[in-house]
Amino acid sequence: MDNIEAIRGTKDILPKKVIYWQYLEKTASEILTKAAYQEIRTPIFEQTPLFERGIGEATDVVGKEMYTFTDRGDRSITLRPEGTAGVVRSYIQNKLFASGGVERLWYSGAMFRYERPQAGRQRQFHQIGLELLGSKAARADVEVIAIATDILKALGLKNLSLQLNSVGSKEDRQTYRQALLDYLTPYKDNLDSDSQDRLSRNPLRILDSKDKKTQEIAQNAPSILDYLGDDSRHHFDKVCTLLSDLSIPYELNPRLVRGLDYYTHTAFEIISGDLGAQATVCGGGRYDGLVSQLGGVETPAVGWAIGMERLILLLEKLQPLSPQTPDIYFVSRGEKAENYALVIAQNLRHSGYKVELDLSGSNFLKQFKRSDRSGAKICLVLGESEVEQGMIQVKNLENSEQKTVSQDKLLEILTQLIN
Ligand code: ATP
Ligand code: MG
């Protein structure tokens, strides 16, 4: 019978890699906490209409990438393809707005999209994201961008660029849409087939196409920045000024429209020069219409999501992290000694030491070899004779010094040897 393997587009994160994930999660959560963001955990699956209404039916995510199924109660369920819709649903349902002022939230976890798997693109992938709800100030946009750049900087990442655009208000986009249509329609036959479809439904999406030829055509399309109304223009200028005040470099990219429908005004991505085709490590922007679209009171909001797999790819290139090693490797032989070693090991852990107990039952020589490979500083040895005499052997693996001490004195000796 064939072995059952992990599903295409999913990956096991094995212990040697988990340390990178833990490092990333710790770094990000510390920076988020410093800026007064609180973690929220929402369910991995939601009612399908949440995403249809929230993300937009004409997007790739909703149109082609969702894991949607009917459950045993005949409900349409979708594994979340992104985090914002669930957070906003929770914000409305739990009346988080009732506290007044702004709500600062962050999340991390698995997302699901049916895409073609490749380096940095999976079907189950992970994001860390934040949402700042309740402020329409340009300062809010800049606060969230600054937090993203801080996280990437704290991780030691270089060769990044912040791409910035404004997609304006709904009204601005109406005017722009016509200008874009006028420009694109003559090229209709040269566009990829998805983009041809979008021409009538959602021409802005064409700017987001991954097709080379379409991208070339889009290169000379009119710029949305020339179609912003006064308020949008003012908001965007302020974002740019504040970014400069914080010495955060950015590049204007009028082609940047992002893949989800809910964005308004500021849209941004952070791109790595070290990742090849899947280069965007963070994407976000303002989404003033989403809360009301999902049934809440009109609430301006801005947020972003970082793709964790892509960051991990960068982190691995940057610095090797090694797994934690035990302080003590514990070797024992003979039933009485083995049983007693279990007790001592447990007590040592309660005293704060990391202890790995050899459970093999093999001879001392084999156990010592494993002890040498364990990375521990100290090897403890307990045989039948030590148990009878109330003694234990302590081997310093760093200089091979070895002594037999009374079990009562063990903690004292260990304190001297392990700091
Ligand atoms: P892309 O253009 O690469 O498909 P996107 O615009 O669909 O990205 P977002 O929905 O903005 O991506 O998600 C934010 C971030 O999550 C992306 O910038 C990326 O780093 C990561 N991401 C998105 N989809 C995947 C995936 N299938 N596998 C791994 N990471 C992903
Ligand atoms: Mg995508």
Side-chain angles (χ1 to χ4, degrees):
M1 206 174 75
D2 287 346
N3 289 333
I4 297 173
E5 299 197 338
I7 291 171
R8 182 170 149 77
T10 71
K11 269 193 184 156
D12 299 312
I13 304 169
L14 300 176
K16 272 194 183 136
K17 293 239 170 136
V18 163
I19 46 179
Y20 291 91
W21 288 79
Q22 290 169 338
Y23 172 57
L24 165 56
E25 286 157 5
K26 184 164 176 284
T27 307
S29 78
E30 279 171 8
I31 290 172
L32 287 158
T33 305
K34 271 191 198 152
Y37 285 73
Q38 290 181 301
E39 185 178 359
I40 183 167
R41 301 187 185 194
T42 64
I44 273 177
F45 55 130
E46 299 269 1
Q47 297 185 43
T48 303
L50 173 68
F51 303 114
E52 290 170 344
R53 260 203 272 164
I55 301 172
E57 313 228 20
T59 60
D60 275 358
V61 172
V62 172
K64 316 188 212 168
E65 297 174 357
M66 292 208 303
Y67 277 91
T68 298
F69 60 96
T70 308
D71 77 359
R72 289 168 196 271
D74 240 1
R75 284 169 286 253
S76 180
I77 303 286
T78 294
L79 302 185
R80 62 180 183 197
E82 55 93 60
T84 304
V87 170
V88 169
R89 195 246 336 116
S90 175
Y91 173 83
I92 298 167
Q93 184 178 342
N94 297 292
K95 302 191 171 46
L96 299 182
F97 50 84
S99 59
V102 300
E103 194 68 20
R104 291 181 166 93
L105 302 168
W106 71 273
Y107 60 84
S108 77
M111 308 293 159
F112 305 85
R113 295 185 194 177
Y114 195 82
E115 299 197 69
R116 194 165 70 79
Q118 50 201 293
R121 192 176 292 288
Q122 296 175 197
R123 290 182 175 172
Q124 174 175 329
F125 64 100
H126 299 78
Q127 291 182 334
I128 283 191
L130 69 70
E131 317 295 348
L132 169 45
L133 296 128
S135 171
K136 61 177 172 31
R139 281 177 297 147
D141 307 35
V142 174
E143 173 177 303
V144 304
I145 293 174
I147 292 170
T149 53
D150 265 359
I151 291 174
L152 301 173
K153 213 195 261 172
L155 292 168
L157 302 180
K158 303 222 162 64
N159 201 5
L160 298 168
S161 100
L162 167 62
Q163 306 272 308
L164 191 67
N165 192 22
S166 171
V167 295
S169 65
K170 253 201 182 126
E171 296 73 42
D172 302 336
R173 279 202 300 279
Q174 276 309 321
T175 341
Y176 176 62
R177 185 193 151 101
Q178 194 51 53
L180 192 59
L181 272 179
D182 293 345
Y183 169 80
L184 287 172
T185 307
Y187 295 104
K188 182 167 181 191
D189 295 342
N190 300 322
L191 299 174
D192 62 279
S193 63
D194 276 351
S195 296
Q196 291 184 11
D197 281 353
R198 288 182 181 130
L199 210 49
S200 53
R201 289 192 301 155
N202 195 343
L204 247 77
R205 280 279 87 75
I206 296 174
L207 300 179
D208 196 39
S209 168
K210 304 252 181 338
D211 180 81
K212 272 255 144 51
K213 195 122 186 250
T214 304
Q215 281 177 351
E216 270 169 35
I217 296 169
Q219 205 57 40
N220 295 316
S223 160
I224 190 161
L225 293 175
D226 295 330
Y227 291 80
L228 298 182
D230 286 349
D231 288 351
S232 304
R233 182 81 242 170
H234 181 73
H235 182 87
F236 189 59
D237 286 345
K238 184 129 197 225
V239 168
C240 295
T241 310
L242 291 172
L243 283 172
S244 302
D245 288 351
L246 290 182
S247 307
I248 298 174
Y250 60 87
E251 278 172 46
L252 292 185
N253 178 356
R255 243 52 74 193
L256 183 86
V257 289
R258 316 268 311 112
L260 315 177
D261 267 357
Y262 51 61
Y263 288 104
T264 51
H265 301 288
T266 315
F268 66 91
E269 288 189 358
I270 301 176
I271 316 261
S272 163
D274 301 327
L275 273 179
Q278 267 51 251
T280 306
V281 292
C282 175
R286 181 163 276 287
Y287 52 95
D288 291 344
L290 184 61
V291 181
S292 56
Q293 201 173 311
L294 292 176
V297 290
E298 188 94 21
T299 308
V302 57
W304 50 250
I306 283 177
M308 296 174 77
E309 275 77 7
R310 295 183 194 177
L311 274 201
I312 301 282
L313 288 173
L314 292 172
L315 283 180
E316 283 172 342
K317 285 189 205 164
L318 208 66
Q319 51 177 331
L321 295 178
S322 3
Q324 288 233 348
T325 50
D327 300 315
I328 297 165
Y329 194 89
F330 206 143
V331 158
S332 59
R333 186 152 166 81
E335 196 181 339
K336 255 193 202 158
E338 286 167 1
N339 294 347
Y340 196 42
L342 185 69
V343 176
I344 300 178
Q346 183 75 342
N347 288 337
L348 290 173
R349 290 178 192 130
H350 293 167
S351 299
Y353 294 106
K354 285 179 272 171
V355 185
E356 180 172 347
L357 186 60
D358 193 308
L359 291 175
S360 66
S362 51
N363 65 39
F364 273 126
L365 199 65
K366 283 192 178 152
Q367 293 194 50
F368 287 144
K369 279 196 178 141
R370 271 194 292 275
S371 165
D372 286 339
R373 282 197 303 263
S374 72
K377 290 192 192 83
I378 300 292
C379 173
L380 293 181
V381 188
L382 199 66
E384 297 290 319
S385 58
E386 281 87 4
V387 176
E388 265 158 37
Q389 295 155 14
M391 305 295 274
I392 186 162
Q393 283 184 46
V394 181
K395 260 171 79 172
N396 184 337
L397 294 171
E398 276 163 0
N399 58 16
S400 301
E401 274 174 20
Q402 186 169 346
K403 50 188 160 191
T404 304
V405 303
S406 155
Q407 287 167 10
D408 311 335
K409 293 265 155 46
L410 180 60
L411 269 182
E412 204 177 299
I413 306 272
L414 287 176
T415 325
Q416 290 161 15
L417 294 173
I418 305 172
N419 39 38

